[in-house]
Amino acid sequence: MADGVEFAQPADEPRTHVTLRLIAQDPSVSGDDASILTANVKVPWSRMEDGPRGARLHVVDYDTATGRYVKHEALGKDDLFAEATDDVLRTDWAFHAQHVYATAARTLATFETALGRRLPWGFRSHQLFLVPHAFAEANAYYSFEDRALLFGYVPPADPTGDTIYTCLSHDVVVHETTHAVLDGLRGRFLEPSLPDQAAFHEGFADIVALLSVFSMRPVIEQALGKPDKSGRIPRGHVEPEALRRNMLARVAEQIGSVLTQGRGALRESALNPPPADWAKRTDFLEPHRRGEVLVAIAFDLLIDIWYMRLQALFSRPNGEAATGKGVTVDRARAAEEGAKAASQLLTMLIRGLDYLPPVEFDFGDLLNAVLLADNEVVPDDDLGYRKLLVDGFAKAGIKLPSGRVTDVLESELPPRYLGINFAGLRSDRDEVSRFLWQNARRLDVSTDYYTVIESVLPTQRIGPDGLIVPESVATYVQMADMTAREFTDESGLQLSPVIDPLTPVQLFGGGTLIFDQFGRLKLHIHKRLDDWRRQQLRLDHLARTGRMDSRRRLGFSDGAARGQTFAELHRTEQSSGESW
């Protein structure tokens, strides 16, 4: 009311989120009441049309096996499936559309919140297609060419059985959405490279799925076991080893058991650390297998952070720790701390993506990137999360790399900005290209190779204390095409004898430039193209694993059929006996 005039609320009340019911894990996982375990979660909302279709996502419910097409009603503020029975959740295609849309939207929002900006897809379109019943096959994958996430299903073996839908497995939808998001952030990570790069796509997608599942409190409550009448569980249930065992034993063995053979995003390998010699073993060259190293690290970090947050529940009023038999803790509070730990760790890891180099990624780069990003947002690491991160990677034999980051603010030769438009450094690729050319020698960037600025994106991260950190993130890529013989002449290094000297090879280098809110360069994260030793290792690996394209070239593409890069990855893992 203003000056005695009362204004009516518009019928279409503006809102940013709606609360929708989702399957928390998989239809095979039940809650305390023996029904499908579900969770009511906030989902980002935009103006909706039938499909359902929003600003960034569009459900196209077309089944290529039967030719059936259904356009579902737009999602509204009222959840039509809030009280739906298990049978409806399993079989109603309208709920399937809601589930896949809401889960993908929630995943995209998680990335955008952590990175502080809207994220583009890797293809030239604003909407990602979601196809919940794409084909009759136990597979699901992201297709760049189709601009879509395609989810398969498995018809029952007999008339009394149930059809199994991949679109109803929460972790599968999150996993494939993450592939699409990563493709928009770092499209060059799909280029043929050293094994860590392909493994990162799979491993990080698994990590996001794992932490997304655990960020929902009902999942953790179920895994912690049934409480007593007062809602409490024995303290022993939340000790580190019990958490590690129960989180996987009670969740991973059930989630998607038919389709994923017990894996989903929660690999049983996370229960056991990778062998000390994993980096030298041939079975760890397979992307999914190698990605399990990152999943194991992330899972251990989750347990460590969770247990740290639980300490307040263990204290008596006089400050002494409550120990011994018969000591209990509130299950809901313990689950809440676990969900917060998962959300914290997920945000921390996603923030690091901006600080990765645009090409030639390895696991050490991820450790380095997460530490750099977290230091910018949380300068004082009072809780010791960064130390936990370093120790966790060190246990897996992954050390912080050296010589890949230049702190420009501490440089003896700071960049020159004469004639540079500072505002342009936040959004204009041509302005960043001018800046890079002008400062190439000061930044030790070679001008001998083809160089392109691939992205310039502003960002605003918010720290736990409310501190806003505005930045601009620009990436540049360098490329060189030559023959294997020319590589040998240029580098002085010998390639594998299996590589013919006339074989065409493509080399990559590049870097990430972090500008502050005033357009001043802070950090330069780089992978030099003329790091010949790295290039030698890459070309030898590609030749040894048969990664030539149809024209017998190395480093140009992985040889996968159009739109089948991720589909082939999943099929390869299944056929090799690994779980999906």
Side-chain angles (χ1 to χ4, degrees):
M1 180 177 291
D3 297 328
V5 179
E6 184 173 346
F7 294 97
Q9 186 73 15
D12 186 14
E13 180 182 347
R15 57 190 182 277
T16 58
H17 293 80
V18 294
T19 300
L20 296 175
R21 185 185 182 196
L22 302 180
I23 293 178
Q25 290 178 242
D26 182 271
S28 65
V29 181
S30 59
D32 289 339
D33 59 358
S35 61
I36 293 176
L37 183 63
T38 62
N40 295 316
V41 300
K42 286 187 175 181
V43 176
W45 188 92
S46 64
R47 187 185 68 81
M48 298 291 298
E49 293 182 359
D50 289 348
R53 181 186 183 191
R56 304 300 310 284
L57 302 167
H58 181 185
V59 175
V60 180
D61 204 349
Y62 177 69
D63 182 354
T64 59
T66 65
R68 179 183 177 185
Y69 170 69
V70 182
K71 178 183 282 189
H72 303 287
E73 292 184 6
L75 299 182
K77 63 180 180 180
D78 297 322
D79 186 356
L80 300 179
F81 299 95
E83 303 296 332
T85 65
D86 284 1
D87 187 58
V88 170
L89 300 183
R90 289 193 185 96
T91 62
D92 193 320
W93 280 29
F95 173 75
H96 297 184
Q98 171 175 301
H99 182 268
V100 74
Y101 183 99
T103 305
R106 184 171 179 261
T107 304
L108 176 61
T110 298
F111 277 86
E112 292 184 335
T113 300
L115 294 175
R117 65 174 184 275
R118 299 296 184 193
L119 300 182
W121 302 118
F123 43 82
R124 295 183 65 84
S125 177
H126 301 295
Q127 291 179 327
L128 174 70
F129 295 128
L130 308 174
V131 189
H133 310 99
F135 42 74
E137 179 184 334
N139 201 359
Y141 59 89
Y142 160 63
S143 172
F144 169 87
E145 289 81 0
D146 296 318
R147 300 178 293 172
L149 302 185
L150 305 170
F151 299 93
Y153 62 92
V154 182
D158 60 79
T160 61
D162 292 326
T163 299
I164 306 299
Y165 298 98
T166 62
C167 67
L168 293 184
S169 288
H170 185 95
D171 73 302
V172 172
V173 179
V174 176
H175 179 105
E176 301 308 331
T177 306
T178 301
H179 279 315
V181 172
L182 290 178
D183 190 33
L185 283 169
R186 289 290 187 271
R188 295 285 179 180
F189 281 2
L190 293 179
E191 301 286 352
S193 187
L194 288 166
D196 280 4
Q197 187 159 292
F200 167 74
H201 240 287
E202 290 301 319
F204 200 82
D206 273 358
I207 289 171
V208 176
L210 178 146
L211 296 178
S212 177
V213 168
F214 283 141
S215 68
M216 294 184 290
R217 205 173 79 179
V219 175
I220 298 182
E221 289 182 350
Q222 183 63 24
L224 287 174
K226 290 186 177 181
D228 60 21
K229 294 181 179 179
S230 60
R232 303 180 70 82
I233 57 175
R235 172 176 170 165
H237 286 195
V238 291
E239 291 296 324
E241 285 308 311
L243 290 175
R244 184 175 288 104
R245 182 176 60 252
N246 291 338
M247 287 301 101
L248 287 174
R250 295 189 181 184
V251 177
E253 71 180 9
Q254 292 181 325
I255 189 166
S257 58
V258 174
L259 286 172
T260 64
Q261 301 164 38
R263 167 208 181 248
L266 313 176
R267 299 173 181 270
E268 291 184 8
S269 60
L271 188 58
N272 303 304
D277 62 344
W278 65 267
K280 299 179 181 179
R281 290 175 48 165
T282 56
D283 57 323
F284 276 86
L285 292 177
E286 195 278 323
H288 295 83
R289 190 81 172 98
R290 200 176 189 90
E292 291 177 4
V293 176
L294 289 181
V295 178
I297 294 171
F299 186 73
D300 280 345
L301 285 170
L302 171 62
I303 298 301
D304 291 341
I305 294 173
W306 187 1
Y307 191 66
M308 187 183 297
R309 295 185 62 93
L310 286 172
Q311 297 309 303
L313 299 184
F314 300 156
S315 300
R316 299 184 186 277
N318 60 7
E320 296 179 357
T323 60
K325 293 183 178 181
V327 176
T328 61
V329 295
D330 184 84
R331 187 180 79 157
R333 278 290 312 280
E336 181 180 356
E337 295 302 331
K340 288 181 178 178
S343 295
Q344 276 188 316
L345 179 57
L346 182 55
T347 298
M348 188 176 179
L349 293 174
I350 290 176
R351 280 175 180 159
L353 296 177
D354 272 349
Y355 288 71
L356 290 175
V359 292
E360 300 298 317
F361 169 86
D362 62 49
F363 289 166
D365 289 321
L366 178 62
L367 171 61
N368 188 49
V370 175
L371 292 175
L372 288 172
D374 196 67
N375 186 64
E376 291 294 323
V377 179
V378 191
D380 298 320
D381 186 25
D382 296 333
L383 298 177
Y385 286 179
R386 291 200 285 272
K387 183 180 185 306
L388 288 176
L389 190 76
V390 173
D391 291 345
F393 274 77
K395 289 178 183 178
I398 302 170
K399 298 180 180 179
L400 194 64
S402 60
R404 298 181 184 176
V405 180
T406 300
D407 187 339
V408 180
L409 298 179
E410 301 294 331
S411 174
E412 295 180 0
L413 288 175
R416 291 178 175 175
Y417 296 90
L418 183 63
I420 297 298
N421 183 329
F422 286 96
L425 294 180
R426 291 183 58 82
S427 59
D428 190 338
R429 292 192 302 158
D430 289 325
E431 197 65 32
V432 174
S433 179
R434 177 186 292 273
F435 170 85
L436 188 63
W437 176 265
Q438 183 166 300
N439 292 284
R441 289 185 173 86
R442 290 172 177 262
L443 296 176
D444 198 22
V445 175
S446 174
T447 56
D448 293 338
Y449 309 108
Y450 171 76
T451 304
V452 61
I453 306 299
E454 294 217 315
S455 64
V456 184
L457 298 169
T459 181
Q460 291 195 83
R461 299 182 179 86
I462 302 177
D465 58 355
L467 176 67
I468 299 177
V469 182
E471 292 178 334
S472 180
V473 181
T475 60
Y476 69 92
V477 170
Q478 296 188 302
M479 289 175 275
D481 294 354
M482 58 183 71
T483 65
R485 177 177 292 158
E486 290 171 336
F487 172 84
T488 299
D489 294 341
E490 180 77 14
S491 67
L493 301 174
Q494 295 297 318
L495 294 174
S496 169
V498 303
I499 302 177
D500 186 281
L502 297 181
T503 300
V505 300
Q506 187 171 67
L507 311 180
F508 288 97
T512 300
L513 305 169
I514 308 294
F515 296 92
D516 66 16
Q517 61 184 316
F518 305 110
R520 298 279 179 174
L521 184 64
K522 296 193 300 184
L523 296 171
H524 177 209
I525 301 129
H526 44 81
K527 283 291 186 75
R528 293 179 60 93
L529 187 146
D530 57 5
D531 180 351
W532 303 118
R533 175 57 178 162
R534 188 188 79 242
Q535 302 291 9
Q536 179 195 38
L537 292 172
R538 172 177 175 262
L539 293 174
D540 284 349
H541 167 70
L542 295 178
R544 200 167 53 245
T545 54
R547 301 286 298 281
M548 284 189 173
D549 66 10
S550 58
R551 297 166 60 184
R552 306 299 295 171
R553 302 179 302 176
L554 279 176
F556 288 81
S557 74
D558 61 6
R562 176 181 172 86
Q564 296 294 299
T565 299
F566 290 101
E568 290 300 325
L569 274 176
H570 291 314
R571 291 193 187 104
T572 299
E573 187 185 27
Q574 287 176 310
S575 63
S576 66
E578 297 291 337
S579 54
W580 178 16

